[in-house]
Amino acid sequence: MSIDPILLLFPPGWIYTTGGPNLALPLLKGFLEVKGIETYLIDLNIGLSNYFNLKISDDEIANACEIPSLENLNKPYYISQEQMSGIAKPFNAIWDIQLGFHYEGCSFSSSDDIKRFSELSSPFDNFYEEKLLASVEKLNPSIIGISGCAPAQLLSTFQIIRLLRRKGYSGKIILGGNLITRLEKSFIKDWVFELIDGAVLFQGEVTLTSIYFALQEGRELDSVPNLIWKRNGKIVENKIEYLTPKDFGRPMYENLSFNSYWGINYIPVLGSRGCYYGKCTFCAIPYAYGNNGFLGNDNPISVYDDMVSGYELTGINKYKFMEEALHPAILKKLSDKILSENFDCEFEGYARFDNFWKDENFLKRVAKAGLRKVYLGLELITSGKRGLLNKSDSDITLEMLKKFSDAGIKTHIFTLFGYPGTGIDEAIKTIEFVLKHQHLIDTLDIFPFYYAKHTTVPFVIPIIDSAKDWAIEYDYNPMMEGVLRNEEVTILCERLEDVIWNERPEWLHPLYRMCSPWSTVHEFV
């Protein structure tokens, strides 16, 4: 029996100041299509931006960044933000460029709030009617999959699901994504499974394929891995299986509106699944990959082919590697392939302060291949207390920043203040360090420590609030003298951010980041 295609949706609520789509849907489409399953993608998040004509133009960004004062950067940013606020205001709601849409009084951490507020009308209803329902009617998908990565996407996800059911869609609705995996058992609610047919934990490629063929063959879903579903009125959890490198699929970018994303557009790619280190005590990002946060490296030649096929489809030769840390083996072989084929490209990615970056020949080669910027987790300047974070990386930060600069590779620095056992002194010294060596740094983030679900952090105990059952970050109580409290960490970070806003506003401003890695715009500062 032949059944209709799969439709994959990326819901509103994702940050707009990125230059490309989330990679989840292209990865799923590539895997499913190879299995013979016709698959379509709709990025509803960027679709909303296009529907309301909200995009900040490349020219506006370039002009603002020529002299990147806070005033110049804020002007185009807040024109769009005011438009969004005006759209949301009649609904007693807030729509933020970076934080998504929510009603006043609605907490993304509360399943009760999501249930209640998702029943309300929204400013996006006409868009859903005109764009989404028209596509559903045309394609008649047997399965609609929705991938959620951020808490701000929960509200729109359930508004979309309620609309689909209200309009008579009777096919399977399956939810997945990093966020659903992070929520896992707390996501199991009777009202949720009255609306949906399943929730996927960890990677969804095999799960969606198995659901599709089970439907085609008229089988139950008992053998489908990584699935939470309702059987005979009872919600059950199937066995967990992790994806292996031999099963990694190739992303397919068809159906996505490239060149409509904000800023200089790039194509997202992936060289590894997860973080090859994965032992930082504060970090839960790799958790959703499964297998202790790392599934393995991909084939560098296949990754190169992904880059070329993306360019041939879109005309874009800029790429962002989405794994948590670029792996040296992948990067070396990929760079060799790029150079041997004379493929003109630029790319950026996340990295650790690992010793292989000290190799000047390696740096020159990857820079020649197109590496333009790395995003580095410094967290704190080297001190006796930095070891508490269990980063196990190099302690020669300044030398490595100089080597990146000499190779023509820009750097972004992540800082993290208030981690239990560290304090105000370490935070201030870190800010003093980055300002002293500001000529080596392109952008910077200041993050307050929060207790992430699926981590274990010493010296504090998380506060588990039953009213915040969908929280993935917790407040906490110190368990020893000298550990900063939540509110103290917040104040510390706000004050240090004020210092950076005054000294180097472009470091923190999202507008500057929308173009800074790429050579097709002015070299600003």
Side-chain angles (χ1 to χ4, degrees):
M1 178 181 72
S2 176
I3 63 175
D4 294 307
I6 291 179
L7 174 62
L8 300 178
L9 307 177
F10 190 69
W14 188 249
I15 184 172
Y16 276 123
T17 52
T18 60
N22 187 277
L23 188 54
L25 299 195
L27 285 173
L28 290 169
K29 176 179 171 66
F31 188 94
L32 293 165
E33 291 276 359
V34 167
K35 301 296 183 181
I37 303 171
E38 190 177 11
T39 305
Y40 295 89
L41 313 180
I42 302 179
D43 185 340
L44 294 170
N45 188 60
I46 199 63
L48 267 181
S49 170
N50 296 335
Y51 183 78
F52 288 107
N53 194 28
L54 294 171
K55 181 182 177 183
I56 303 173
S57 73
D58 293 351
D59 286 344
E60 288 175 313
I61 294 169
N63 290 335
C65 292
E66 283 186 356
I67 302 176
S69 66
L70 188 57
E71 180 182 3
N72 288 344
L73 293 167
N74 276 347
K75 185 175 180 180
Y77 183 89
Y78 280 103
I79 288 174
S80 290
Q81 181 56 69
E82 287 173 8
Q83 285 180 272
M84 294 171 69
S85 297
I87 291 166
K89 187 175 180 180
F91 294 82
N92 194 29
I94 296 169
W95 190 16
D96 187 271
I97 289 175
Q98 298 185 79
L99 302 177
F101 174 88
H102 72 276
Y103 299 96
E104 296 280 4
C106 176
S107 169
F108 299 138
S109 297
S110 166
S111 65
D112 286 343
D113 279 7
I114 297 298
K115 178 184 179 182
R116 178 163 60 95
F117 283 95
S118 65
E119 295 175 339
L120 301 180
S121 60
S122 89
F124 313 142
D125 289 346
N126 288 341
F127 167 74
Y128 296 147
E129 293 264 1
E130 295 174 22
K131 303 298 182 181
L132 174 58
L133 292 182
S135 295
V136 171
E137 183 177 353
K138 177 182 177 181
L139 298 173
N140 190 31
S142 56
I143 299 170
I144 294 179
I146 305 177
S147 178
C149 300
Q153 293 177 292
L154 281 169
L155 178 62
S156 61
T157 292
F158 281 101
Q159 288 185 315
I160 289 166
I161 293 168
R162 290 186 187 280
L163 175 64
L164 289 168
R165 294 307 194 200
R166 196 163 58 244
K167 295 296 183 178
Y169 178 73
S170 58
K172 300 293 185 184
I173 296 179
I174 308 295
L175 301 192
N178 181 291
L179 180 62
I180 305 304
T181 299
R182 295 282 304 281
L183 292 175
E184 49 180 18
K185 292 184 184 298
S186 63
F187 192 66
I188 300 175
K189 306 287 181 184
D190 287 337
W191 71 267
V192 169
F193 284 84
E194 289 171 2
L195 292 168
I196 71 171
D197 299 283
V200 180
L201 303 181
F202 303 106
Q203 307 293 284
E205 288 92 328
V206 174
T207 308
L208 280 176
T209 303
S210 300
I211 293 172
Y212 182 90
F213 286 115
L215 293 178
Q216 189 176 53
E217 297 163 11
R219 293 185 284 106
E220 285 284 3
L221 304 180
D222 304 73
S223 62
V224 175
N226 302 5
L227 183 67
I228 304 174
W229 62 296
K230 184 179 283 189
R231 179 180 59 196
N232 299 326
K234 181 181 178 182
I235 299 172
V236 296
E237 302 172 60
N238 288 0
K239 63 181 179 180
I240 297 296
E241 294 180 0
Y242 300 131
L243 208 62
T244 62
K246 67 180 178 61
D247 296 319
F248 291 172
R250 315 286 14 118
M252 293 182 66
Y253 303 102
E254 286 82 0
N255 311 137
L256 295 173
S257 301
F258 281 97
N259 294 311
S260 68
Y261 292 87
W262 295 28
I264 305 301
N265 278 204
Y266 60 74
I267 297 173
V269 290
L270 203 59
S272 306
R273 301 279 183 116
C275 178
Y276 65 81
Y277 176 68
K279 298 175 184 176
C280 298
T281 52
F282 58 88
C283 183
I285 294 173
Y287 175 83
Y289 285 99
N291 194 40
N292 295 316
F294 187 60
L295 299 180
N297 293 328
D298 209 332
N299 182 330
I301 305 305
S302 297
V303 177
Y304 171 80
D305 291 340
D306 296 339
M307 296 169 72
V308 173
S309 63
Y311 170 71
E312 291 174 346
L313 176 70
T314 67
I316 296 171
N317 69 340
K318 298 170 179 60
Y319 305 88
K320 181 161 189 171
F321 281 80
M322 305 307 296
E323 58 261 44
E324 278 60 49
L326 290 165
H327 194 284
I330 294 291
L331 196 51
K332 181 182 184 304
K333 293 179 181 179
L334 177 64
S335 296
D336 289 345
K337 180 65 173 176
I338 289 171
L339 293 171
S340 69
E341 298 291 339
N342 292 313
F343 181 55
D344 181 21
C345 67
E346 298 179 322
F347 56 95
E348 62 175 355
Y350 301 94
R352 285 171 41 83
F353 276 103
D354 281 336
N355 285 326
F356 68 85
W357 292 111
K358 294 191 294 185
D359 184 336
E360 293 179 7
N361 291 328
F362 175 78
L363 278 176
K364 289 177 181 177
R365 189 152 185 83
V366 297
K368 186 177 180 181
L371 180 60
R372 295 292 174 261
K373 186 171 181 177
V374 288
Y375 295 74
L376 295 154
L378 173 63
E379 322 312 348
L380 291 170
I381 194 62
T382 301
S383 71
K385 294 184 177 181
R386 188 173 183 269
L388 292 170
L389 281 68
N390 197 38
K391 292 188 66 70
S392 297
D393 54 5
S394 176
D395 60 357
I396 52 171
T397 303
L398 180 57
E399 178 185 339
M400 295 180 75
L401 289 176
K402 288 178 178 177
K403 288 181 181 292
F404 280 118
S405 180
D406 290 344
I409 299 170
K410 295 180 179 181
T411 56
H412 174 96
I413 298 297
F414 292 105
T415 63
L416 177 70
F417 300 148
Y419 183 87
T422 72
I424 296 173
D425 187 53
E426 290 82 14
I428 291 174
K429 287 181 178 178
T430 301
I431 293 300
E432 289 174 343
F433 171 84
V434 296
L435 288 175
K436 181 178 180 180
H437 303 291
Q438 58 186 273
H439 62 289
L440 302 175
I441 297 168
D442 186 50
T443 48
L444 176 140
D445 272 316
I446 295 175
F447 286 114
F449 167 75
Y450 57 83
Y451 199 112
K453 189 173 184 177
H454 303 297
T455 63
T456 301
V457 178
F459 311 136
V460 293
I461 184 168
I463 300 172
I464 308 300
D465 184 348
S466 60
K468 298 179 179 179
D469 54 336
W470 280 2
I472 57 173
E473 300 170 6
Y474 303 127
D475 291 337
Y476 54 88
N477 284 322
M479 298 300 290
M480 62 176 287
E481 187 176 350
V483 173
L484 298 176
R485 296 183 176 275
N486 285 108
E487 56 271 21
E488 293 173 317
V489 174
T490 299
I491 292 170
L492 171 64
C493 290
E494 287 175 349
R495 290 181 177 176
L496 293 177
E497 275 196 340
D498 286 343
V499 173
I500 300 300
W501 281 119
N502 287 329
E503 295 286 332
R504 295 299 298 266
E506 79 280 8
W507 277 7
L508 296 172
H509 206 288
L511 204 73
Y512 177 74
R513 300 180 188 194
M514 292 159 70
C515 62
S516 75
W518 315 118
S519 64
T520 52
V521 293
H522 306 299
E523 293 294 333
F524 303 116
V525 290

